[in-house]
């Protein structure tokens, strides 16, 4: 009996970060190489089991684009059993590769080229819309899970792999936490493969949902890390020696200075955290009731009437 | 005493003609109506996709959901029988204690009449000492049609109102007048269940915190955010120690290397959230507070538009699937369209619109 395993790969395609990277070294690690590695991981995942499923999302600064499956996909397209619109569009495999994989790789390549060349950079947006891409990934997982229920009695196990390039966006904290709690409730793992700087948000996501967090020590060897750490699914992970869980800093950051604090004051109305006591909450502007020690009444001396 | 007009009872209203919901179109077929009914059933099915949960387990499910949505809140359980009321569990934030007590309660035998007065009195004794900024609520699951009280219950209702305790009642059999008055005076709700799924729906409604009244006090609560230390066996200085939770139950494992240390008094605990037994500081982690944020910034309902009237692309902005249902759901802020499954998922679990967080990555009010 086959188990259904769905892998969603979310690739950070922040054009500013990748642009800077390309200018840096002599042999830079480019976005194409990253996408190639992701494609090999996707193909390998589909090879692991006949019933495995794949989805790939590119997380950009302006939008989140589904690289595969494309727009308005119907569930039948994912089977690749012939007669699907995707296969009839592709030109056929040139190197004898399984047609579905060729179709998927071509679709991904087409979409990413379209995304990176034709998207206008509007406004001041420089940060990757990672929380938004994860939200769409969750909706997609839900749809695939619901659609596959009548076909098989097996429960579908899903996980999301985030390949992160640019830095965290602190402004997205609340949306990110909403996404993490929603994923935890649906038993969806979030794995993180971080290319450059450590990401506190993704560390929390991996810790809460039970996924693996890895900061890649050597970027050109990305594929090796992807295949070693992130290819095995939940069941197989318990039998392998994988990177150990990292120490996650769950201290809160105070709203006034953004310092990490161990003891703080929490407003009972809006749950804002402050490092020092103040009579008014700066977020919701409530005046707090301060409990003063009881005032001792001065003892009146009785004047003795002579 | 009652100034509000009471709603008319069902037998007092006019005669309802329920067959009029079926409408035939020009060709005489009922297809449109049937599709409508099927669509509503599908939406209802998606809404209750948890499946068949037995009546007895619903309370345990409620306790789990409650602590999941409100990790820093506390629950206490009271039972009433034979004209008395007794505490099954004390007010605490530990869900395991409550679940164990509920499991044992299945074997308890029911006898005698319940006493609404005694149970409310017992609840009031504990709740009135709670700090002013908390929301104090009592939920009564009441199946009897009578109650045996030692004193005037209307006086007790006045006391409850004065201490700002909200009492809500879920009736299992029929409407009882004293419960109606109780709920109305204290600001709670009173419903009588129709069937098991309705019971579940009513229970789940109480998981969300009620809106705070303007008269409730606001204060700054001092809390600690301890670090989780994981010492490894190879570390020379690592000393195994007992956790303070051991004082209560002996079933926990004994010595552990890592844990959470209270920033004020260095007492060790294995799990959060917890109230430090030594210095009284409430210890939480940042995600516990973050879990309650969505209650403060609730997501507005999406606009329901029939598929024929929708002019845009037939592609759901959430899951990218093709829109085949009767209606599409449009977010009023970002004007993106979603299918019915995404709409339910977004409002029940995600609490933020996938379209909006692309347009405005930072929350608007912060």
């Amino acid at each position: 009996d086959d188990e259904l395993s769905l892998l969603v790969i979310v690739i950070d395609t922040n054009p500013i970060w990748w642009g800077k990277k390309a200018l840096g070294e002599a042999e830079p690690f480019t976005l194409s190489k990253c996408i190639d590695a992701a494609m090999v991981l996707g193909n390998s995942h589909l090879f692991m089991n006949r019933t495995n499923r794949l989805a790939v999302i590119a997380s950009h600064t302006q939008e989140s684009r589904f690289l595969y499956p494309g727009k308005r996909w119907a569930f039948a397209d994912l089977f690749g059993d012939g007669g699907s619109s995707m296969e009839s569009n592709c030109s056929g495999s040139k190197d004898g590769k399984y047609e579905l994989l060729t179709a998927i790789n071509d679709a991904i390549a087409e979409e990413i080229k379209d995304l990176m060349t034709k998207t206008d950079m509007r406004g001041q947006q420089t940060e990757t819309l990672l929380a938004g891409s994860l939200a769409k990934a969750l909706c997609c997982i839900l749809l695939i899970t619901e659609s596959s229920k009548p076909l098989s009695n097996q429960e579908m196990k899903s996980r999301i792999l985030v390949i992160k390039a640019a830095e965290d966006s602190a402004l997205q904290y609340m949306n990110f936490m909403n996404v993490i709690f929603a994923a935890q409730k649906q038993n969806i793992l979030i794995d993180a493969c971080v290319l450059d700087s450590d990401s506190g948000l993704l560390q929390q996501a991996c810790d809460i949902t039970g996924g693996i967090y890895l900061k890649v020590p050597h970027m050109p060897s990305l594929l090796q890390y992807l295949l070693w750490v992130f290819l095995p699914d939940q069941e197989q992970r318990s039998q392998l020696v994988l990177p150990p869980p990292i120490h996650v800093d769950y201290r809160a950051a105070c709203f006034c200075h953004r310092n990490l604090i161990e003891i703080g004051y929490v407003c009972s109305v809006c749950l804002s955290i402050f490092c020092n006591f103040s009579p008014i909450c700066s977020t919701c502007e409530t005046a707090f009731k301060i409990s003063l020690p009881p005032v001792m009444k001065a003892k009146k001396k009785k004047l003795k009437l002579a | 005493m009652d100034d509000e007009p009471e709603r008319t009872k069902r037998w007092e209203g006019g005669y309802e003609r329920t067959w009029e919901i079926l409408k035939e179109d020009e060709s005489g077929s009922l297809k449109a109506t049937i599709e409508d009914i099927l669509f509503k059933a599908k939406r209802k099915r998606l809404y209750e996709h948890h499946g068949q949960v037995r009546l007895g387990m619903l309370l345990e499910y409620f306790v789990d959901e409650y602590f999941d949505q409100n990790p820093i809140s506390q629950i206490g359980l009271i039972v009433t029988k034979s004209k008395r009321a007794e505490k099954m569990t004390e007010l605490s934030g530990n869900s395991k204690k409550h679940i164990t007590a509920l499991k044992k309660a299945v074997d308890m035998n029911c006898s005698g009449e319940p006493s609404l007065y005694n149970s409310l009195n017992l609840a009031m004794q504990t709740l009135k000492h709670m700090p002013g900024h908390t929301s104090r609520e009592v939920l009564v699951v009441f199946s009897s049609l009578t109650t045996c009280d030692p004193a005037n219950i209307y006086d007790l209702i006045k006391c409850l109102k004065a201490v700002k305790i909200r009492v809500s009642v879920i009736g299992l059999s029929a409407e009882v007048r004293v419960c109606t008055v109780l709920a109305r005076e204290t600001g709670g709700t009173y419903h009588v269940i129709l069937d098991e799924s309705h019971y579940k729906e009513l229970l789940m409604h109480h998981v969300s915190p009620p809106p705070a009244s303007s008269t409730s006090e606001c204060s700054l609560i001092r809390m600690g955010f301890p670090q989780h230390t994981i010492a490894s066996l190879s570390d020379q200085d690592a000393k195994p120690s007992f956790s303070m939770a051991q004082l209560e139950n002996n079933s926990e494992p004994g010595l552990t290397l890592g844990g959470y240390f209270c920033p004020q008094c260095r007492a060790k605990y294995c799990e959060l959230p917890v109230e430090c037994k030594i210095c009284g500081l409430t210890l939480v982690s940042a995600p516990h507070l973050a879990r309650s944020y969505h209650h403060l910034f609730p997501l507005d309902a999406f606009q329901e538009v029939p598929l024929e009237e929708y002019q845009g692309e037939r592609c759901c902005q959430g899951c990218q699937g093709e829109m085949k249902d009767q209606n599409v759901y449009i977010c009023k802020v970002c004007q993106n369209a979603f299918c019915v499954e995404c709409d339910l998922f977004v409002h029940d679990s995600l609490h933020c619109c996938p379209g909006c967080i692309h347009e405005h990555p930072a929350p608007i009010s912060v």
Side-chain angles (χ1 to χ4, degrees), chain B residues 147-167:
Chain B
T147 169
C148 181
D149 300 333
N152 190 347
I153 198 169
Y154 291 105
D155 290 337
L156 184 65
I157 294 179
K158 285 203 185 75
C159 292
L160 287 170
K161 214 170 153 177
V163 201
K164 299 201 190 87
I165 296 179
R166 247 187 280 229
V167 182

Side-chain angles (χ1 to χ4, degrees), chain B residues 9-298:
Chain B
K9 307 291 180 204
R10 201 172 171 83
W11 59 84
E12 293 169 359
Y15 191 50
E16 259 184 40
R17 288 185 276 250
T18 52
W19 57 86
E20 287 192 348
I21 198 175
L22 294 176
K23 285 181 176 46
E24 292 185 0
D25 60 21
E26 305 86 57
S27 60
S29 119
L30 285 172
K31 186 161 177 275
T33 334
I34 304 289
E35 271 180 8
D36 192 44
I37 297 176
L38 282 175
F39 177 74
K40 289 204 175 83
K42 178 182 178 191
R43 200 183 155 92
K44 195 162 169 238
R45 175 181 58 80
L46 282 174
Y47 187 66
E48 302 162 7
H49 72 264
H50 275 288
Q52 308 306 2
V53 185
R54 290 194 328 270
L55 198 72
M57 286 167 49
L58 273 177
L59 276 179
E60 292 171 32
Y61 181 67
F62 171 76
V63 169
D64 271 333
E65 269 297 306
Y66 184 82
F67 282 119
D68 184 62
Q69 293 290 316
N70 309 286
I72 43 182
S73 298
Q74 298 179 335
I75 289 186
L77 298 170
I78 295 177
V79 289
T80 169
K81 57 181 179 174
S82 307
K83 304 171 194 169
R84 281 189 247 281
E86 64 180 61
K87 273 191 202 168
M88 202 155 64
T89 56
E90 292 283 343
L91 200 63
S92 99
N94 184 351
S95 66
K96 294 191 197 64
K97 263 198 282 185
H98 300 303
I99 305 240
T100 329
L102 281 172
K103 286 198 161 84
K104 269 197 257 176
V106 174
D107 303 321
M108 192 167 33
N109 57 338
C110 311
S111 60
E113 275 188 274
S115 173
L116 199 54
Y117 183 96
N118 286 336
S119 2
L120 287 177
N121 202 18
L122 189 54
M124 191 170 76
Q125 301 303 326
T126 326
L127 283 181
K128 72 178 180 195
H129 296 297
M130 288 292 123
H133 58 77
T134 52
S135 84
R136 307 156 181 173
E137 294 168 67
V138 178
L139 175 63
V140 184
V141 179
F142 200 62
S143 63
S144 157
L145 296 172
T146 61
T147 169
C148 181
D149 300 333
N152 190 347
I153 198 169
Y154 291 105
D155 290 337
L156 184 65
I157 294 179
K158 285 203 185 75
C159 292
L160 287 170
K161 214 170 153 177
V163 201
K164 299 201 190 87
I165 296 179
R166 247 187 280 229
V167 182
S168 298
V169 187
I170 295 182
L172 300 182
S173 51
E175 184 175 352
V176 178
R177 177 154 166 77
V178 70
C179 297
T180 319
V181 175
L182 173 64
R184 198 178 57 214
E185 293 292 310
T186 55
T189 57
Y190 178 36
H191 294 282
V192 177
I193 65 169
L194 297 168
D195 54 27
E196 198 173 315
S197 50
H198 188 216
Y199 177 43
K200 185 161 170 239
E201 200 184 308
L202 290 173
L203 263 187
M204 287 309 125
H205 189 253
H206 284 100
V207 165
S208 306
S213 63
S214 50
T215 50
S216 61
E217 293 161 9
C218 327
S219 41
L220 270 183
I221 317 164
R222 199 150 169 275
M223 288 191 174
F225 301 93
Q227 286 258 46
H228 190 208
T229 56
I230 316 171
S232 65
L233 284 167
S234 55
D235 191 6
Q236 292 286 352
D237 292 330
K239 295 182 185 64
S241 45
F242 284 102
S243 91
M244 297 310 291
Q246 268 246 299
L247 291 176
E248 274 199 27
N249 57 356
N250 298 318
S251 56
E252 297 235 338
L255 297 163
T256 48
L257 274 179
Y260 299 94
F261 290 91
C262 170
Q264 204 166 243
C265 65
R266 298 281 150 213
K268 191 174 100 155
Y269 293 91
C270 291
E271 280 184 344
L272 293 182
V274 73
E275 199 175 314
C276 180
K277 289 188 187 47
I278 310 291
C279 61
L281 186 64
T282 311
L283 303 174
V284 295
S285 69
H288 288 133
L289 292 178
R291 230 182 247 275
S292 302
Y293 285 151
H294 71 85
H295 295 303
L296 297 169
F297 304 108

Side-chain angles (χ1 to χ4, degrees), chain A residues 64 66 184 247 262 264 266, chain B residues 221 223 225 228 291 320 358:
Chain A
S64 300
F66 272 75
Q184 188 201 23
H247 168 64
E262 283 205 320
V266 179
Chain B
I221 317 164
M223 288 191 174
F225 301 93
H228 190 208
R291 230 182 247 275
Q320 306 292 116
H358 281 92

